[in-house]
Amino acid sequence: MAVYALTGFSLVSLLSFGYLSWDWMKPGLVADVATDPMEKSLPPTFTRPPHIIFILTDDQGYHDIGYHGSDIQTPTLDRLAAEGVKLENYYIQPICTPSRSQLITGRYQIHTGLQHSIIRPRQPNCLPLDQVTLPQKLQEAGYSTHMVGKWHLGFYKKECLPTRRGFDTFLGSLTGNVDYYTYDNCDGPGVCGYDLHEGEDVAWDQSGKYSTFLYSQRVSKILASHSPKEPIFIYVAFQAVHTPLQSPKEYIYRYRSMGNVARRKYAAMVTCMDEAVKNITWALKKYGYYDNSVIVFSTDNGGQTFSGGSNWPLRGRKGTYWEGGVRGIGFVHSPLIKRKRRTSWALVHITDWYPTLVSLARGNLSNVQGLDGYDVWPAISEGKESPRTEILHNIDPLYNHAKYGSLDDGFGIWNTAVQASIRVGEWKLLTGDPGYSDWIPPQTLTNFPGSWWNLERLTDGLRKSVWLFNITADPYERYDLSEQRPDVVRTLLMRLVHYNRTAIPVRYPAENPRAHPDFNGGAWGPWASEDDGEEWEGGREPLKSRNKKKKKCKICKLRSFFRKLNTRLMSNRI
């Protein structure tokens, strides 16, 4: 196995001396508060449907929360998790759109056609219009529904917008990556536009306000104007802590001792987001919602390690099917939980929130067919066994096929060149190219080099297309058992075959020039009419707007840099 040297220490030494050996089955590193023995016998006061606050953060790494031993300060999240239920066997998707689509629909992405990549700004694509969304089901149950933050589920037609998919109000961005102050987003050189929307209108007047603050303030205003006697659902999808790495200076100053600049800025953004959650929690208490509320906290995918994030001690990063890409931070905080102040190892997936929350809201699921999620509230609230026993991480037929994969390697039943991953019980199988596979220590360790690419790299996987791990015994994916347990490999391949038979065609249309912001007054927004098909084509070369002065995108060069860097990474990945 070829190994490149790591300045000051090696990853092998870290493995040998136990840095990766803290007991996975122990509760979080922050001690849980002792539970009152009488508390377990006291049922929650469920006199009316609970208020539901779902908080989703963007690109927050598994290691980047206080109770996972991080050097980043997250006192609010730590306290909420310690007083609630920490989900330490919780899975999400490796990138933005797939996690959000599965949260909103309760379905695996192979069942919505979104199994490849993300929805890009210029694609005539969005969450399928025939899907009944989570907020729509909550509206049916009598809820007021609101969304604040990042949508990233398509917007080429007005029918795709949040306010047409079940939300009464919306303040946020439609694309996947905007400047935190100017709300500019560039989808390539010269293709730049403003992206902050209030309902279905462009919110030009909000420019200059830091998005994390803006979004938490909007949640407070919603709570202040609503009656706690009526159920409310608020989906808070923070932009933080996705690139660009931007934070108010006072938060950066707290981490001035961090040598790694990206990590310093990233840490500041996480702490700022933590304080925003504190303000939301305070508003719930101030306006009388808290005692009948359920707060769910979730990340959307693993952290991006070259942008300050850390998934240590897990393997891999955002965009990969290693645990570092798909094992998420998650917890539930609520006075309605029967068994509080504990860590749950129940298997939970992001698709489970749809049936869980609709059931909590006393909504009707009998007319919803084909859900991949399960109602996991008894597992969370009462400590019962999870109804979930397996997770399809994904099957992506369009992703670059692994060079050394074949149908023969898949026992004649599965082409192992295809990127796919599944977990069944304690076993996890990966085929094809699962993505960048290193273990990347926190960037603030003593003598840690400033550049992440100086890490040692393991090259034993270059000629592989099948991996098998016992995730319960080996959560860091150090020991590939595919050769020792071909029987398990075959069983899990059969499960992939089963799921693949239920998959619908991939929805990944070509980009359309008509989407250029210059056709929309300088802002990103719907460009196709209601009569246009889902892969509408046409238009002409973009023209400069006569109504709005073209806004200069400050992040175009930065985004171009990261794209080139990511291309370099992918060309060298294992």
Side-chain angles (χ1 to χ4, degrees), residues 253-293:
Y253 184 75
R254 300 185 191 186
Y255 296 99
R256 60 192 179 280
S257 62
M258 283 188 177
N260 186 293
V261 176
R263 181 68 173 172
R264 185 190 312 158
K265 294 180 179 179
Y266 175 93
M269 295 166 69
V270 173
T271 296
C272 184
M273 178 271 296
D274 180 86
E275 292 195 7
V277 174
K278 178 181 178 180
N279 292 337
I280 292 172
T281 307
W282 179 84
L284 286 170
K285 294 180 178 179
K286 176 181 179 181
Y287 298 115
Y289 297 87
Y290 177 78
D291 289 341
N292 190 42
S293 68

Short mmCIF file of all heavy atoms in Angstrom, two decimals, residues 253-293:
data_model
loop_
_atom_site.label_atom_id
_atom_site.label_comp_id
_atom_site.label_asym_id
_atom_site.label_seq_id
_atom_site.Cartn_x
_atom_site.Cartn_y
_atom_site.Cartn_z
N TYR A 253 -12.85 36.68 15.23
CA TYR A 253 -11.88 37.06 16.25
C TYR A 253 -11.80 36.01 17.36
O TYR A 253 -10.73 35.79 17.93
CB TYR A 253 -12.27 38.41 16.84
CG TYR A 253 -11.27 38.95 17.83
CD1 TYR A 253 -10.06 39.49 17.40
CD2 TYR A 253 -11.51 38.90 19.21
CE1 TYR A 253 -9.12 39.98 18.30
CE2 TYR A 253 -10.59 39.39 20.11
CZ TYR A 253 -9.40 39.92 19.66
OH TYR A 253 -8.48 40.39 20.56
N ARG A 254 -12.90 35.34 17.63
CA ARG A 254 -12.91 34.31 18.68
C ARG A 254 -11.96 33.17 18.35
O ARG A 254 -11.47 32.48 19.25
CB ARG A 254 -14.31 33.74 18.85
CG ARG A 254 -15.38 34.74 19.25
CD ARG A 254 -16.69 34.03 19.51
NE ARG A 254 -17.80 34.96 19.65
CZ ARG A 254 -19.04 34.62 19.99
NH1 ARG A 254 -19.31 33.35 20.23
NH2 ARG A 254 -20.00 35.52 20.08
N TYR A 255 -11.71 32.97 17.06
CA TYR A 255 -10.88 31.85 16.64
C TYR A 255 -9.55 32.32 16.05
O TYR A 255 -8.96 31.65 15.21
CB TYR A 255 -11.65 31.00 15.62
CG TYR A 255 -12.88 30.37 16.21
CD1 TYR A 255 -14.14 30.94 16.00
CD2 TYR A 255 -12.80 29.23 16.99
CE1 TYR A 255 -15.28 30.37 16.56
CE2 TYR A 255 -13.93 28.65 17.54
CZ TYR A 255 -15.17 29.23 17.32
OH TYR A 255 -16.30 28.66 17.88
N ARG A 256 -9.09 33.47 16.51
CA ARG A 256 -7.86 34.05 15.96
C ARG A 256 -6.64 33.18 16.18
O ARG A 256 -5.64 33.29 15.47
CB ARG A 256 -7.62 35.44 16.57
CG ARG A 256 -7.48 35.45 18.08
CD ARG A 256 -7.54 36.87 18.63
NE ARG A 256 -7.41 36.94 20.09
CZ ARG A 256 -8.41 36.71 20.92
NH1 ARG A 256 -9.61 36.40 20.46
NH2 ARG A 256 -8.23 36.81 22.24
N SER A 257 -6.71 32.26 17.16
CA SER A 257 -5.56 31.40 17.42
C SER A 257 -5.47 30.22 16.45
O SER A 257 -4.46 29.53 16.41
CB SER A 257 -5.62 30.86 18.85
OG SER A 257 -6.77 30.07 19.05
N MET A 258 -6.50 29.99 15.66
CA MET A 258 -6.47 28.89 14.68
C MET A 258 -5.53 29.26 13.54
O MET A 258 -5.70 30.29 12.89
CB MET A 258 -7.87 28.61 14.13
CG MET A 258 -8.76 27.83 15.07
SD MET A 258 -10.30 27.35 14.22
CE MET A 258 -11.09 26.40 15.52
N GLY A 259 -4.59 28.40 13.27
CA GLY A 259 -3.63 28.67 12.21
C GLY A 259 -4.20 28.48 10.83
O GLY A 259 -3.79 29.17 9.88
N ASN A 260 -5.12 27.58 10.67
CA ASN A 260 -5.71 27.30 9.37
C ASN A 260 -6.80 28.34 9.08
O ASN A 260 -7.82 28.39 9.76
CB ASN A 260 -6.28 25.88 9.35
CG ASN A 260 -6.78 25.48 7.99
OD1 ASN A 260 -7.75 26.04 7.50
ND2 ASN A 260 -6.14 24.49 7.39
N VAL A 261 -6.58 29.17 8.08
CA VAL A 261 -7.48 30.30 7.82
C VAL A 261 -8.89 29.83 7.45
O VAL A 261 -9.89 30.38 7.93
CB VAL A 261 -6.91 31.20 6.71
CG1 VAL A 261 -7.89 32.32 6.36
CG2 VAL A 261 -5.58 31.79 7.15
N ALA A 262 -8.97 28.81 6.60
CA ALA A 262 -10.30 28.32 6.20
C ALA A 262 -11.04 27.77 7.41
O ALA A 262 -12.24 28.03 7.59
CB ALA A 262 -10.15 27.23 5.13
N ARG A 263 -10.34 27.03 8.25
CA ARG A 263 -10.97 26.47 9.45
C ARG A 263 -11.42 27.59 10.40
O ARG A 263 -12.47 27.50 11.02
CB ARG A 263 -9.98 25.55 10.17
CG ARG A 263 -10.50 24.87 11.42
CD ARG A 263 -11.57 23.86 11.11
NE ARG A 263 -11.97 23.10 12.29
CZ ARG A 263 -12.99 22.25 12.32
NH1 ARG A 263 -13.71 22.04 11.24
NH2 ARG A 263 -13.29 21.60 13.42
N ARG A 264 -10.64 28.64 10.49
CA ARG A 264 -10.97 29.77 11.36
C ARG A 264 -12.28 30.44 10.92
O ARG A 264 -13.18 30.68 11.72
CB ARG A 264 -9.83 30.80 11.33
CG ARG A 264 -9.99 31.97 12.27
CD ARG A 264 -8.95 33.03 11.97
NE ARG A 264 -7.62 32.45 11.83
CZ ARG A 264 -6.61 33.02 11.17
NH1 ARG A 264 -6.80 34.19 10.58
NH2 ARG A 264 -5.43 32.44 11.11
N LYS A 265 -12.39 30.70 9.61
CA LYS A 265 -13.61 31.33 9.09
C LYS A 265 -14.81 30.39 9.22
O LYS A 265 -15.92 30.80 9.57
CB LYS A 265 -13.41 31.73 7.64
CG LYS A 265 -12.38 32.83 7.44
CD LYS A 265 -12.23 33.17 5.97
CE LYS A 265 -11.21 34.29 5.76
NZ LYS A 265 -11.04 34.61 4.32
N TYR A 266 -14.56 29.13 8.93
CA TYR A 266 -15.62 28.13 9.02
C TYR A 266 -16.12 28.02 10.46
O TYR A 266 -17.34 27.99 10.70
CB TYR A 266 -15.06 26.80 8.53
CG TYR A 266 -15.98 25.61 8.65
CD1 TYR A 266 -16.81 25.22 7.60
CD2 TYR A 266 -15.99 24.84 9.81
CE1 TYR A 266 -17.64 24.12 7.71
CE2 TYR A 266 -16.82 23.74 9.93
CZ TYR A 266 -17.63 23.38 8.87
OH TYR A 266 -18.45 22.28 9.00
N ALA A 267 -15.21 27.97 11.41
CA ALA A 267 -15.59 27.88 12.82
C ALA A 267 -16.43 29.08 13.23
O ALA A 267 -17.43 28.94 13.97
CB ALA A 267 -14.34 27.78 13.69
N ALA A 268 -16.06 30.25 12.76
CA ALA A 268 -16.82 31.45 13.07
C ALA A 268 -18.25 31.34 12.54
O ALA A 268 -19.22 31.73 13.21
CB ALA A 268 -16.13 32.67 12.47
N MET A 269 -18.41 30.79 11.35
CA MET A 269 -19.73 30.64 10.75
C MET A 269 -20.58 29.65 11.53
O MET A 269 -21.78 29.85 11.71
CB MET A 269 -19.59 30.18 9.30
CG MET A 269 -18.91 31.21 8.40
SD MET A 269 -18.38 30.53 6.81
CE MET A 269 -19.96 30.25 6.03
N VAL A 270 -19.96 28.57 12.01
CA VAL A 270 -20.70 27.58 12.80
C VAL A 270 -21.19 28.20 14.11
O VAL A 270 -22.35 28.03 14.50
CB VAL A 270 -19.83 26.34 13.09
CG1 VAL A 270 -20.55 25.39 14.05
CG2 VAL A 270 -19.50 25.61 11.80
N THR A 271 -20.32 28.93 14.79
CA THR A 271 -20.70 29.57 16.06
C THR A 271 -21.78 30.62 15.84
O THR A 271 -22.70 30.77 16.66
CB THR A 271 -19.47 30.18 16.73
OG1 THR A 271 -18.55 29.14 17.06
CG2 THR A 271 -19.84 30.93 18.00
N CYS A 272 -21.69 31.36 14.75
CA CYS A 272 -22.73 32.35 14.43
C CYS A 272 -24.06 31.65 14.21
O CYS A 272 -25.10 32.11 14.69
CB CYS A 272 -22.31 33.12 13.19
SG CYS A 272 -23.43 34.45 12.75
N MET A 273 -24.04 30.53 13.50
CA MET A 273 -25.26 29.76 13.29
C MET A 273 -25.82 29.23 14.61
O MET A 273 -27.03 29.22 14.84
CB MET A 273 -24.97 28.62 12.31
CG MET A 273 -26.14 27.69 12.03
SD MET A 273 -26.23 26.33 13.20
CE MET A 273 -24.71 25.47 12.83
N ASP A 274 -24.93 28.82 15.49
CA ASP A 274 -25.36 28.33 16.80
C ASP A 274 -26.11 29.42 17.57
O ASP A 274 -27.13 29.16 18.21
CB ASP A 274 -24.12 27.87 17.60
CG ASP A 274 -24.46 27.35 18.98
OD1 ASP A 274 -24.79 26.15 19.10
OD2 ASP A 274 -24.43 28.15 19.94
N GLU A 275 -25.62 30.65 17.49
CA GLU A 275 -26.30 31.75 18.17
C GLU A 275 -27.64 32.07 17.51
O GLU A 275 -28.59 32.48 18.18
CB GLU A 275 -25.40 32.97 18.20
CG GLU A 275 -24.18 32.78 19.10
CD GLU A 275 -23.47 34.07 19.44
OE1 GLU A 275 -23.99 35.15 19.10
OE2 GLU A 275 -22.39 34.00 20.04
N ALA A 276 -27.71 31.85 16.19
CA ALA A 276 -29.00 32.05 15.51
C ALA A 276 -30.03 31.04 16.01
O ALA A 276 -31.20 31.38 16.21
CB ALA A 276 -28.81 31.92 14.00
N VAL A 277 -29.60 29.80 16.23
CA VAL A 277 -30.50 28.79 16.78
C VAL A 277 -30.92 29.17 18.21
O VAL A 277 -32.07 28.96 18.60
CB VAL A 277 -29.82 27.40 16.77
CG1 VAL A 277 -30.69 26.36 17.48
CG2 VAL A 277 -29.54 26.96 15.33
N LYS A 278 -30.00 29.77 18.95
CA LYS A 278 -30.33 30.25 20.29
C LYS A 278 -31.44 31.29 20.23
O LYS A 278 -32.39 31.26 21.03
CB LYS A 278 -29.08 30.86 20.94
CG LYS A 278 -29.32 31.45 22.33
CD LYS A 278 -28.04 32.05 22.88
CE LYS A 278 -28.26 32.68 24.25
NZ LYS A 278 -27.01 33.28 24.79
N ASN A 279 -31.36 32.20 19.27
CA ASN A 279 -32.38 33.24 19.13
C ASN A 279 -33.74 32.65 18.73
O ASN A 279 -34.79 33.12 19.18
CB ASN A 279 -31.93 34.27 18.09
CG ASN A 279 -30.74 35.08 18.56
OD1 ASN A 279 -30.49 35.20 19.76
ND2 ASN A 279 -29.98 35.61 17.62
N ILE A 280 -33.71 31.61 17.89
CA ILE A 280 -34.96 30.95 17.50
C ILE A 280 -35.59 30.26 18.71
O ILE A 280 -36.80 30.35 18.94
CB ILE A 280 -34.69 29.95 16.36
CG1 ILE A 280 -34.31 30.69 15.08
CG2 ILE A 280 -35.91 29.06 16.12
CD1 ILE A 280 -33.85 29.79 13.95
N THR A 281 -34.76 29.58 19.47
CA THR A 281 -35.27 28.89 20.68
C THR A 281 -35.84 29.90 21.67
O THR A 281 -36.89 29.67 22.28
CB THR A 281 -34.13 28.09 21.34
OG1 THR A 281 -33.52 27.23 20.38
CG2 THR A 281 -34.67 27.25 22.49
N TRP A 282 -35.16 31.02 21.82
CA TRP A 282 -35.63 32.08 22.72
C TRP A 282 -36.99 32.60 22.25
O TRP A 282 -37.90 32.84 23.06
CB TRP A 282 -34.61 33.21 22.76
CG TRP A 282 -35.01 34.35 23.63
CD1 TRP A 282 -34.85 34.47 24.99
CD2 TRP A 282 -35.66 35.57 23.21
NE1 TRP A 282 -35.35 35.68 25.42
CE2 TRP A 282 -35.85 36.37 24.36
CE3 TRP A 282 -36.08 36.06 21.97
CZ2 TRP A 282 -36.44 37.63 24.30
CZ3 TRP A 282 -36.67 37.30 21.91
CH2 TRP A 282 -36.85 38.07 23.07
N ALA A 283 -37.15 32.77 20.94
CA ALA A 283 -38.43 33.26 20.40
C ALA A 283 -39.55 32.24 20.64
O ALA A 283 -40.69 32.62 20.92
CB ALA A 283 -38.28 33.55 18.91
N LEU A 284 -39.23 30.96 20.53
CA LEU A 284 -40.24 29.93 20.80
C LEU A 284 -40.75 30.05 22.23
O LEU A 284 -41.95 29.90 22.51
CB LEU A 284 -39.64 28.54 20.58
CG LEU A 284 -39.42 28.10 19.13
CD1 LEU A 284 -38.61 26.81 19.09
CD2 LEU A 284 -40.75 27.90 18.41
N LYS A 285 -39.85 30.33 23.15
CA LYS A 285 -40.24 30.46 24.56
C LYS A 285 -40.96 31.79 24.81
O LYS A 285 -41.97 31.83 25.51
CB LYS A 285 -39.00 30.34 25.45
CG LYS A 285 -38.36 28.96 25.41
CD LYS A 285 -37.13 28.86 26.30
CE LYS A 285 -36.54 27.46 26.28
NZ LYS A 285 -35.34 27.34 27.12
N LYS A 286 -40.45 32.86 24.23
CA LYS A 286 -41.03 34.18 24.46
C LYS A 286 -42.47 34.27 23.99
O LYS A 286 -43.33 34.86 24.68
CB LYS A 286 -40.19 35.24 23.73
CG LYS A 286 -40.76 36.65 23.84
CD LYS A 286 -39.91 37.67 23.08
CE LYS A 286 -40.51 39.07 23.17
NZ LYS A 286 -39.70 40.06 22.42
N TYR A 287 -42.76 33.67 22.83
CA TYR A 287 -44.10 33.81 22.25
C TYR A 287 -45.02 32.65 22.55
O TYR A 287 -46.11 32.54 21.98
CB TYR A 287 -43.97 34.03 20.74
CG TYR A 287 -43.22 35.30 20.39
CD1 TYR A 287 -41.99 35.25 19.74
CD2 TYR A 287 -43.72 36.54 20.75
CE1 TYR A 287 -41.30 36.41 19.43
CE2 TYR A 287 -43.02 37.71 20.44
CZ TYR A 287 -41.81 37.64 19.78
OH TYR A 287 -41.12 38.79 19.49
N GLY A 288 -44.61 31.75 23.45
CA GLY A 288 -45.52 30.73 23.95
C GLY A 288 -45.63 29.45 23.14
O GLY A 288 -46.60 28.71 23.29
N TYR A 289 -44.64 29.13 22.33
CA TYR A 289 -44.68 27.93 21.50
C TYR A 289 -43.92 26.75 22.12
O TYR A 289 -44.23 25.59 21.84
CB TYR A 289 -44.06 28.20 20.12
CG TYR A 289 -44.78 29.21 19.28
CD1 TYR A 289 -44.50 30.57 19.40
CD2 TYR A 289 -45.73 28.82 18.35
CE1 TYR A 289 -45.16 31.51 18.63
CE2 TYR A 289 -46.39 29.75 17.57
CZ TYR A 289 -46.09 31.10 17.71
OH TYR A 289 -46.75 32.03 16.94
N TYR A 290 -42.93 27.04 22.91
CA TYR A 290 -41.93 26.04 23.29
C TYR A 290 -42.52 24.79 23.93
O TYR A 290 -42.13 23.67 23.57
CB TYR A 290 -40.89 26.68 24.22
CG TYR A 290 -39.86 25.69 24.70
CD1 TYR A 290 -38.80 25.29 23.89
CD2 TYR A 290 -39.95 25.14 25.99
CE1 TYR A 290 -37.86 24.38 24.34
CE2 TYR A 290 -39.02 24.23 26.43
CZ TYR A 290 -37.97 23.85 25.60
OH TYR A 290 -37.05 22.93 26.05
N ASP A 291 -43.43 24.93 24.86
CA ASP A 291 -43.92 23.77 25.62
C ASP A 291 -44.65 22.76 24.74
O ASP A 291 -44.80 21.59 25.14
CB ASP A 291 -44.86 24.24 26.74
CG ASP A 291 -44.12 24.94 27.85
OD1 ASP A 291 -42.88 24.75 27.94
OD2 ASP A 291 -44.76 25.69 28.62
N ASN A 292 -45.08 23.17 23.58
CA ASN A 292 -45.76 22.25 22.66
C ASN A 292 -45.03 22.21 21.32
O ASN A 292 -45.63 22.21 20.26
CB ASN A 292 -47.22 22.68 22.44
CG ASN A 292 -48.02 21.63 21.68
OD1 ASN A 292 -47.91 20.43 21.95
ND2 ASN A 292 -48.83 22.07 20.73
N SER A 293 -43.71 22.16 21.39
CA SER A 293 -42.91 22.22 20.17
C SER A 293 -41.98 21.01 20.04
O SER A 293 -41.62 20.37 21.03
CB SER A 293 -42.06 23.49 20.14
OG SER A 293 -41.05 23.46 21.14
#
